Amino acid sequence: GAGVSQSPSNKVTEKGKDVELRCDPISGHTALYWYRQSLGQGLEFLIYFQGNSAPDKSGLPSDRFSAERTGGSVSTLTIQRTQQEDSAVYLCASSLGPGRENEQFFGPGTRLTVL
Amino acid sequence: GQNIDQPTEMTATEGAIVQINCTYQTSGFNGLFWYQQHAGEAPTFLSYNVLDGLEEKGRFSSFLSRSKGYSYLLLKELQMKDSASYLCAVRGGSNYQLIWGAGTKLIIKP
């Protein structure tokens, strides 16, 4: 695709429900990142994929959060038993590779609201 | 710990020049990025510095001093569309992970 796409754009859920967020990176980009951004805050790193493997899951805030990437392309971020503090915009980004100069291209984000 | 500091908010006048500062303390340094983020939109890349000095790109310039742990983004000939948040991000010891500042909200007044 022309850019990084994410779905859904908005998700409202009830506390305790599971949600699944999807990211479709730019074709050919091997590196994929998930971030969380709360209102007025900077980006909080969640997880990084190189290909299908996730060498760094250190940013996942709890074991309720998991992510996978298949075929070196689409990634899904799953949040189980959602809590109100999970409400945020979840941003996905991709880059050509992990090389230090490679800029990250961001998707439009998924705004998650947990009631 | 690792820390990125930027002013929370700045105000400038259309047509003027504004400098947004960023200081950082990270374990290792492999480059500094500036991103622009309009309200409700995703961040978009502006600049990358890995060596000391000034990188100029049209109306935007970015400066880096590694010894001081300091960078600034300079915006010239400000336009109303420049109203946005400007995020400073540092690639620390790892090859891929960026550490992000909270962003500086820039308000442009006519």
Side-chain angles (χ1 to χ4, degrees):
Chain A
V4 179
S5 61
Q6 293 185 244
S7 61
S9 55
N10 277 286
K11 177 71 177 179
V12 180
T13 190
E14 293 179 346
K15 178 182 173 180
K17 301 281 190 182
D18 297 352
V19 295
E20 195 171 273
L21 313 180
R22 176 188 167 107
C23 171
D24 205 335
I26 293 173
S27 178
H29 281 194
T30 63
L32 186 146
Y33 315 79
W34 281 98
Y35 294 95
R36 179 167 71 173
Q37 187 175 32
S38 300
L39 190 64
Q41 302 295 312
L43 277 68
E44 177 188 358
F45 169 80
L46 296 179
I47 189 170
Y48 157 71
F49 285 93
Q50 177 57 33
N52 290 336
S53 63
D56 188 348
K57 305 179 182 179
S58 63
L60 294 176
S62 77
D63 59 9
R64 295 187 294 106
F65 287 71
S66 63
E68 64 176 17
R69 189 179 185 195
T70 55
S73 182
V74 172
S75 176
T76 54
L77 176 70
T78 302
I79 309 173
Q80 295 178 309
R81 304 181 303 281
T82 52
Q83 303 294 313
Q84 288 183 332
E85 61 262 28
D86 299 334
S87 296
V89 175
Y90 289 81
L91 291 164
C92 173
S94 70
S95 66
L96 277 172
R100 62 182 194 178
E101 74 283 0
N102 287 328
E103 65 181 273
Q104 296 180 16
F105 293 82
F106 283 82
T110 294
R111 182 175 297 277
L112 176 66
T113 303
V114 182
L115 302 176
Chain B
Q2 308 200 94
N3 200 49
I4 311 284
D5 284 315
Q6 312 178 228
T8 304
E9 187 174 296
M10 298 182 70
T11 304
T13 304
E14 190 177 15
I17 299 173
V18 71
Q19 177 175 311
I20 302 174
N21 295 327
C22 170
T23 57
Y24 62 89
Q25 292 174 309
T26 57
S27 53
F29 179 83
N30 280 309
L32 184 145
F33 293 79
W34 283 96
Y35 279 76
Q36 180 190 58
Q37 186 176 27
H38 285 100
E41 298 183 11
T44 54
F45 171 79
L46 288 178
S47 68
Y48 170 73
N49 294 69
V50 68
L51 299 176
D52 290 350
L54 189 68
E55 295 278 344
E56 297 188 75
K57 191 187 292 186
R59 294 188 299 113
F60 293 5
S61 303
S62 57
F63 171 83
L64 175 67
S65 169
R66 289 171 296 171
S67 62
K68 295 181 179 178
Y70 167 70
S71 172
Y72 67 72
L73 181 69
L74 191 72
L75 292 76
K76 303 176 185 175
E77 301 167 18
L78 287 170
Q79 302 175 9
M80 296 303 292
K81 67 178 182 181
D82 297 331
S83 292
S85 286
Y86 291 85
L87 307 175
C88 173
V90 173
R91 180 162 281 142
S94 75
N95 283 335
Y96 48 83
Q97 188 176 142
L98 292 180
I99 302 153
W100 294 80
T104 298
K105 182 178 180 181
L106 178 62
I107 300 168
I108 310 295
K109 296 185 175 180

